[in-house]
Amino acid sequence: MQPIPFNRPLSLETGLDYMRQACAAGHLSGDGPFTHRCHALLEELLGAPRVLLTTSGTHALELAALLLDIQPGDEVIVPAFTFVSTVNAFVLRGARPVFIDIRSDTLNLDERQLDDLLTARTKAIVPVHYAGVGCEMDAINTIAARHEVAVVEDNAHGLLGKYRGQPLGSLGRLAALSFHETKNFSCGEGGALILNDPADAARAEVLREKGTNRAQFFRGQADKYTWLDVGSSFLPSDLLAALLLAQLEARAFIQERRRHVWERYAGQLQDWAEDNDVRLPTVPAHCAQPWHMFYLLLPTAADQQALLEHLRREQIMAVFHYLPLHLSRMGRSFGGRAGDCPVTEDVSQRLVRLPFYPGLSEDDQARIVEAVRCFRCGRRSFAVPPPPKARACG
Ligand SMILES: *Cc1c(COP(=O)(O)O)cnc(C)c1O
């Protein structure tokens, strides 16, 4: 029995061709021809005035924090249920993270709690579109505008997803994308910062190029380049942009495969979920999801552990997701305490993500579905594994 991984990166022939072309063209550093093609394509897909590739989603968020001039003592509102980089990018600049709990339906930040958490020191709100399902952006943007704080979308999961017909990533002042190997479109490690306010574009370009106007210089808009601002090096090699461009161009194929996997899970696990008190992902009617992830919310923490263990025995690599950030060592150092974000604390102990990638074969997915369907919630242990041929369930 072959193990089924949680994720398997997609390798495209075009990606290899493009990398060969990039090598032959001799521009291996950042901002070469393939980077420009990725920028143009992403700007078109998002309707954004400017998109800049970065070396990771983490770096896109760090670039956002630099651009917003986040200072020590500033506060940034972030969900407790997210990846560390959502928060770390702002903490690096000295900000204090203010953790907000999530909604129990979409697992996105609970916008109804924003008013209570905003203070005179709040500089930004960072909604994360969990599993690529849009946060309640109308409410978030209204509150943010009233308090004059910036909205930075962490759209690592949500490229090509929509909220009320608008692309995720086009709704905040800034938005971050990730092209890590676990995301829908990937070049191994990569990301992008989306600038939805044209007024941010010129400075973002400088911060991303070591604080210099080198990008202007290469366009012939300056006769020398020099140090203008703070900054760092956030440009990926054009080789990685070549790999990424091939994936972005194959988006229809990739998304169709992912949709197929998602719908098969949802269709074939629905009755089992109802029988076992398991909740499948919630996608509100006004959100179009980009098929990033398929998760199960089990009735109890014991069920989560037992299902993960059961699937591991079947050589199926299912995984949990985020541990509550406010209860991590860093989160506690900012005052996080048990009970602060009860929905996050609860969901974190009950969520299981199933293997999900465009190359997941029908046979492998059938094996996963069968293994899940053999699992009964409420059983305390699987101490005696069922013999491989004579399964306990029929
Ligand atoms: C993947 C991810 C990131 C970071 O992206 P990297 O490209 O791995 O740095 C940030 N936020 C969320 C929600 C993510 O899932």
Side-chain angles (χ1 to χ4, degrees), residues 55-59 61 82-83 85-86 128 154 156-157 177-180 182-183 189-191 292 322:
T55 28
S56 65
T58 301
H59 281 164
L61 289 160
T82 182
F83 189 61
S85 296
T86 317
V128 178
D154 180 337
H157 300 179
L177 296 174
S178 168
F179 303 116
H180 183 262
T182 51
K183 306 292 157 60
E189 299 276 1
H292 176 59
Y322 310 122

Side-chain angles (χ1 to χ4, degrees), residues 119 187 192 319:
T119 72
C187 56
V319 288

